Amino acid sequence: MSIITEFMDVYTKKHDFYREAARVCAQVCETNMEQMGIRAIVTSRAKKPDRLQEKLEKRELEKNYASSQDIVEDIADLSGVRIALYFPGDLYKVRQLIDSAFHVKECRVFPDALHEQNEPEIEYQKRFSGYWATHFRVYMKENDLPEEAKKYSRTLIEIQVASALMHAWAEVEHDLLYKPYSGDLSYEEYQILDELNGLVLAGEIALQRLQKAMKIRVSEVGKEFNNHYELAMFLYNKLGSLTTSTHGEIGLGRVDLLYQCIKSSGFNKPEKLKGFIAYIDPNIKNRSVVDQLIDKISELEPELYDKYKVAKQSEELKYQLEALQINRDNGNRQGEANTLANIGYIYSSKENYEEAIHYFTKALKINHEIGGIQGEANQLLNLGSTYRLKGDLDQALEYCNKAIQLHRQINYKQGQANTLGMMGSIYLSKGNLDTAWAYYVEALGIYKETDYKIGVIIQLNNLGILHEKKMDKEQALEYFNQALEICLSCEYKQGEGDALQHIGSLYLEMGNSEKAIDYYEKALSIQEGAGNHRSQIGILMCLGKAYITEEKVSEALHYYREAYALSNDIEFKLGAVEALDQINSLQKYAR
């Protein structure tokens, strides 16, 4: 059996998997663009098996594939998403979105020399430049996906971004020029395609002019914003002159929620918002422009801030509650259980552990009734984790012991390792370091056996924390550096940020605050890029502590205030209380 035949047999069976991965990715893009006020049409697809086979057979002559992995690395768009922008000038906003929402492996800008080299050899010499677009090859972030979609996080997806006009022309050109099912094109047909390309490029210039005219209109005094797209356009236009960054680096935030809050108030006009914009710092990475605006508006109308928080909270649950009802209507009990668990995660992240336990228990009950042993074990582990966060360590252990039994019953290795790692953390919280060490080592062994690198990294970091508690700093540093090395090899940003933070804390304990700050700042930059808010708060608190050690009170206050603001933003009560305590203490000291 040839390499291509072998690959196609597997791909045909997994076609639905690739199509669903693309759909989930498209949904992430569409949701984020809608919230940011970017107009676009988003579509997704998996490559059709017959088209893919033809492409592979042509490329085989040049590539000489030695394995299926060679094909996977060569064909990056098995799962593909297209973003067709109404206005090509919004590309910089989409680039910002993609950089923050995904792990970007590669970015290609067209036209490029390589693209021109691969074009068919024809006598006709084009007058216009052809295809203008930006292609991103990305992985979805596992932590941002619901439980049932995490399996797609290791699938490489190509996101093609261009204007709606360019996408339409490219589709016609590609099917006629590269897939000439009706025969080779004539000289005149090439001319017409080139002429259409010229019209498209002229059309993009017209769209840029239209966007500029709209920016002027939405800034006119006395006119209310009609929708959040106009509000977003106004904010980008005004903030561009204030920032030292490029437009693409402005973190605008949830413009849709801001519009919902102000549309019935006196703030829904350009002249009303201009006064607040002067107080906005668009270069702050961990606090969006919308959040800063709401902070300022709330000083005049506190009820608007409450309205914004309620809208933000309800939005997070809205999707899951809709999915829950759909699953119930369709009689999909497994889907119902998975959605209940997702709602449990949302409540757990908000420190509402009673509600989280309520939903995890409901999910557990359904899995038990339908005989879903793995799902039942997962919910037992979720309950164990939640009781640990709640501080009830004995109850947490009881649920974890039940979970490990079920995972062993079905021989689900990763579930076993996840549970063993959690049990290690429970014993660490109890102060039983030797027992915690044994569980961490057993979990580490399983992760290595199954080649699950993220699990290996987590357990190495856990072992480093344990040895730090045992005052064995040299051994702790060795574990953290091992974790860091693996993170760099597999580009696992969350683990890299965690390891850097732990190393920074070790240096702080050893009295080297300068080196600690260096590691903390690297860790903060990574977690900001990955959008891990809880981790950012922890690092900001560490930086505050480090600057106190250096007796730099103003710098320490700066980081504690950032931690407090971010904690309030994500409703992390414990973080807010801790940061506020430090702020109050330092302000008294400063007096």
Side-chain angles (χ1 to χ4, degrees), residues 116-122 177-178 190:
E116 291 169 3
Q117 290 169 12
N118 290 335
E119 287 186 348
E121 292 184 10
I122 56 176
L177 189 59
Y178 293 89
Y190 282 121

Side-chain angles (χ1 to χ4, degrees), residues 562-576:
E562 285 203 13
Y564 178 69
L566 188 54
S567 296
N568 278 331
D569 187 37
I570 66 170
E571 299 178 53
F572 179 32
K573 297 171 188 173
L574 188 62

Side-chain angles (χ1 to χ4, degrees), residues 147 341 345 357 360 375 377-387 403:
E147 195 63 31
Y345 294 134
I357 288 167
F360 287 142
N378 289 340
Q379 299 318 314
L380 287 166
L381 177 55
N382 284 335
L383 285 163
S385 173
T386 307
Y387 274 107

Side-chain angles (χ1 to χ4, degrees), residues 417-418 440 443-463 479 482-484 486-487 490 492:
N418 293 343
Y440 284 150
L444 178 63
I446 295 174
Y447 284 134
K448 285 182 176 178
E449 176 192 337
T450 55
D451 196 31
Y452 183 54
K453 288 186 171 59
I454 291 176
V456 171
I457 292 162
I458 290 169
Q459 295 314 314
L460 287 171
N461 276 328
N462 283 339
L463 285 163
Y479 278 121
Q482 283 182 41
L484 185 59
I486 299 171
C487 287
C490 66
Y492 177 44

Side-chain angles (χ1 to χ4, degrees), residues 540-558:
L540 289 167
M541 296 294 291
C542 287
L543 279 163
K545 184 178 178 182
Y547 277 110
I548 288 173
T549 303
E550 293 202 334
E551 297 184 353
K552 295 180 179 178
V553 175
S554 60
E555 286 89 344
L557 270 171
H558 167 76

Side-chain angles (χ1 to χ4, degrees), residues 12 21 52 70 96 102-103 136 206 245 257 276 278 292 317 340 358 406 419 438 455 476 480 525 571:
T12 302
L52 176 59
D70 286 349
Q96 176 201 12
F102 302 98
H103 295 304
F136 299 88
S245 308
L257 294 185
F276 296 107
Q292 293 181 64
L317 284 169
L340 287 166
H358 170 74
L406 289 181
T419 309
F480 291 142
S525 176
E571 299 178 53

Side-chain angles (χ1 to χ4, degrees), residues 331-492:
N332 181 358
R333 300 212 74 201
Q334 186 62 69
E336 182 182 353
N338 292 342
T339 310
L340 287 166
N342 291 337
I343 295 171
Y345 294 134
I346 291 172
Y347 279 114
S348 180
S349 71
K350 296 179 181 300
E351 302 169 81
N352 190 338
Y353 301 128
E354 293 302 330
E355 280 297 305
I357 288 167
H358 170 74
Y359 281 99
F360 287 142
T361 302
K362 279 184 148 185
L364 173 67
K365 184 174 182 290
I366 292 174
N367 275 295
H368 182 74
E369 288 171 355
I370 65 176
I373 296 177
Q374 184 175 323
E376 187 177 352
N378 289 340
Q379 299 318 314
L380 287 166
L381 177 55
N382 284 335
L383 285 163
S385 173
T386 307
Y387 274 107
R388 172 179 168 255
L389 292 170
K390 192 182 173 187
D392 190 341
L393 301 180
D394 292 332
Q395 188 72 62
L397 271 178
E398 186 177 329
Y399 278 110
C400 285
N401 277 314
K402 291 177 181 177
I404 196 70
Q405 288 174 23
L406 289 181
H407 281 311
R408 284 172 175 159
Q409 180 183 327
I410 60 175
N411 197 32
Y412 179 43
K413 292 288 188 180
Q414 190 165 318
Q416 293 175 40
N418 293 343
T419 309
L420 290 165
M422 178 56 63
M423 293 172 82
S425 294
I426 293 168
Y427 278 109
L428 187 67
S429 298
K430 279 175 163 281
N432 192 333
L433 303 187
D434 291 338
T435 305
W437 182 87
Y439 278 109
Y440 284 150
V441 168
E442 190 176 353
L444 178 63
I446 295 174
Y447 284 134
K448 285 182 176 178
E449 176 192 337
T450 55
D451 196 31
Y452 183 54
K453 288 186 171 59
I454 291 176
V456 171
I457 292 162
I458 290 169
Q459 295 314 314
L460 287 171
N461 276 328
N462 283 339
L463 285 163
I465 293 168
L466 187 148
H467 280 279
E468 188 177 356
K469 285 184 177 292
K470 293 176 76 171
M471 304 305 290
D472 187 352
K473 292 183 173 58
E474 188 175 331
Q475 184 63 63
L477 192 59
E478 185 177 331
Y479 278 121
F480 291 142
N481 278 319
Q482 283 182 41
L484 185 59
E485 187 177 343
I486 299 171
C487 287
L488 293 171
S489 70
C490 66
E491 298 184 0
Y492 177 44

Side-chain angles (χ1 to χ4, degrees), residues 175-177 179-186 189-190:
D175 277 0
L176 293 179
L177 189 59
K179 304 170 184 175
Y181 294 112
S182 57
D184 292 335
L185 301 187
S186 66
E189 285 171 314
Y190 282 121

